[in-house]
């Protein structure tokens, strides 16, 4: 059993390694062939307040970080809550992209935790990287959340018939959403809630993926509804764009004219 001093030393080491991981993985050019864990966006949830150094909240937070860093979570998802209903409640959710599980999970999470330093002493914040997102809150979230969704897209426009491209791309994303929520789409005994593949659109190959957060409440119907909703935002975010994505904390999609997933 660790005493408080040795545990504190180990937590400091974990956070230091997280900073190093961020330096290795934060490559900001997200329009390039993105097989790295590039930083995308963050949001500080200031309405949930701040915590003081040495407080019980900080101890709970560090304890969670230590446990998650040293856990397996082979399916790329983790959700931990402590002190539920109290002022010191800590809720951490992290989700890796569907191709970034197993050994890549630890480096994804380390980068995400280090990135939370962008919201110093805030009890709550969300950070998105190319291969994962981490959400830390002081409240329990048990519903699909669209409040923190955001868009990214290639600044250029497709050549040729833009109307046909938009129609085919949306249909492709809708098909992936159906595949992601099929009962036989299983991984480690759970619904994968993820689908990715490629398809010829016109004369070019389009690569795309959809994914839902594998939370306890994100069962089939809620995942399907979430994906349908963000795909319906395609005309706002991605009209005639050769690459684009909608990201949030409940579901996301992405498509590109280049392979961006690990194989």
């Amino acid at each position: 059993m660790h005493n408080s001093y040795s545990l504190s030393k180990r937590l400091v080491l974990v956070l230091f390694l997280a900073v190093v991981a961020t330096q290795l993985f934060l490559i900001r050019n997200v329009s390039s062939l993105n097989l790295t864990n590039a930083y995308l966006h963050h949001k500080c949830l200031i309405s949930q307040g701040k915590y003081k150094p040495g407080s019980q909240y900080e101890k709970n937070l560090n304890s969670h970080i230590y446990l998650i860093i040293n856990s397996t979570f082979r399916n790329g998802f983790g959700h931990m809550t402590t002190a539920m209903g109290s002022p010191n409640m800590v809720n951490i959710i992290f989700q890796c992209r569907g191709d970034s599980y197993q050994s890549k999970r630890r480096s994804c999470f380390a980068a995400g935790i280090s990135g939370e330093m962008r919201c110093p002493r805030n009890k709550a914040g969300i950070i998105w990287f190319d291969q994962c997102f981490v959400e830390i809150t002081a409240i329990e979230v048990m519903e699909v959340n669209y409040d923190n969704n955001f868009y990214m897209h290639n600044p250029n426009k497709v050549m040729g018939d833009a109307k046909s491209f938009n129609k085919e791309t949306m249909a492709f994303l809708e098909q992936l959403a159906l595949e992601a929520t099929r009962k036989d789409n299983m991984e480690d005994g759970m619904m994968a809630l993820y689908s990715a593949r490629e398809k010829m659109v016109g004369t070019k190959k389009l690569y795309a993926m959809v994914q839902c957060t594998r939370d306890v409440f994100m069962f089939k119907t809620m995942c399907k509804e979430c994906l349908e909703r963000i795909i319906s935002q395609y005309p706002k975010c991605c009209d005639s764009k050769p690459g684009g994505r909608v990201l949030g904390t409940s579901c996301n999609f992405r498509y590109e004219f280049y392979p961006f997933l690990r194989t």
Side-chain angles (χ1 to χ4, degrees):
M1 184 173 181
H2 301 290
N3 60 39
S4 59
Y5 175 71
S6 62
L7 179 59
S8 176
K9 286 176 67 179
R10 295 186 69 176
L11 288 173
V12 169
L13 177 60
V14 167
L15 291 173
F16 170 76
L17 291 175
V19 173
V20 173
T22 299
Q23 295 300 317
L24 292 174
F25 288 103
L26 255 62
I27 299 175
R28 295 177 180 276
N29 185 8
V30 296
S31 62
S32 64
L33 180 58
N34 202 341
L35 298 182
T36 60
N37 197 25
Y39 163 80
L40 301 178
H41 181 64
H42 75 280
K43 184 174 183 179
C44 303
L45 306 178
I46 57 176
S47 63
Q48 295 186 38
K50 289 182 172 286
Y51 63 90
K52 294 180 179 179
S55 65
Q56 186 60 48
Y57 181 92
E58 184 176 57
K59 292 176 183 177
N60 291 345
L61 176 63
N62 287 342
S63 176
H64 270 19
I65 292 171
Y66 177 79
L67 288 172
I68 293 177
I69 284 284
N70 289 281
S71 298
T72 55
F73 296 111
R74 291 189 306 164
N75 62 11
F77 170 76
H79 185 181
M80 283 191 170
T81 303
T82 192
M84 186 178 292
S86 80
N88 298 313
M89 175 178 168
V90 176
N91 184 59
I92 299 181
I93 296 175
F94 82 90
Q95 174 72 62
C96 293
R97 199 172 66 189
D99 64 320
S100 301
Y101 295 173
Q102 306 294 338
S103 61
K104 306 177 187 70
R105 178 207 60 80
R106 184 172 284 113
S107 60
C108 277
F109 180 72
I113 288 298
S114 180
E116 289 290 345
M117 295 176 184
R118 295 169 183 269
C119 302
R121 300 296 176 190
N122 280 325
K123 284 188 173 182
I126 312 167
I127 187 163
W128 289 264
F129 289 83
D130 197 54
Q131 294 179 27
C132 65
F133 83 85
V134 177
E135 178 180 21
I136 299 176
T137 63
I139 59 175
E140 179 74 0
V141 181
M142 291 297 291
E143 60 183 7
V144 177
N145 189 320
Y146 303 106
D147 294 340
N148 302 308
N149 288 7
F150 67 99
Y151 311 145
M152 298 180 71
H153 60 72
N154 188 308
N156 302 313
K157 288 196 172 185
V158 294
M159 303 293 289
D161 188 346
K163 185 176 180 180
S164 176
F165 169 79
N166 289 335
K167 183 178 180 180
E168 288 191 63
T169 301
M170 283 194 70
F172 185 25
L173 292 171
E174 289 165 354
Q175 182 60 40
L176 289 177
L178 291 175
E179 294 173 6
T181 53
R182 281 200 326 248
K183 289 182 179 180
D184 60 345
N185 184 13
M186 303 290 289
E187 184 173 351
D188 290 335
M190 297 174 62
M191 288 190 69
L193 304 181
Y194 168 80
S195 183
R197 57 187 175 87
E198 58 196 60
K199 177 184 178 181
M200 293 300 296
V201 174
T203 60
K204 294 184 177 181
K205 190 175 290 186
L206 190 70
Y207 302 82
M209 60 147 285
V210 301
Q211 184 173 24
C212 291
T213 304
R214 297 176 76 173
D215 210 342
V216 290
F217 65 88
M218 185 56 75
F219 51 87
K220 178 182 176 180
T221 56
M222 297 179 77
C223 177
K224 183 173 180 290
E225 290 170 5
C226 185
L227 289 172
E228 287 175 347
R229 177 158 174 172
I230 64 169
I231 292 171
S232 73
Q233 299 298 306
Y234 175 93
K236 292 183 179 179
C237 83
C238 312
D239 182 40
S240 306
K241 302 298 184 182
R245 59 175 97 176
V246 175
L247 298 102
T249 55
S250 295
C251 62
N252 67 91
F253 75 74
R254 182 181 181 185
Y255 70 91
E256 306 284 357
F257 273 128
Y258 57 80
F260 59 89
L261 297 172
R262 294 177 181 270
T263 58

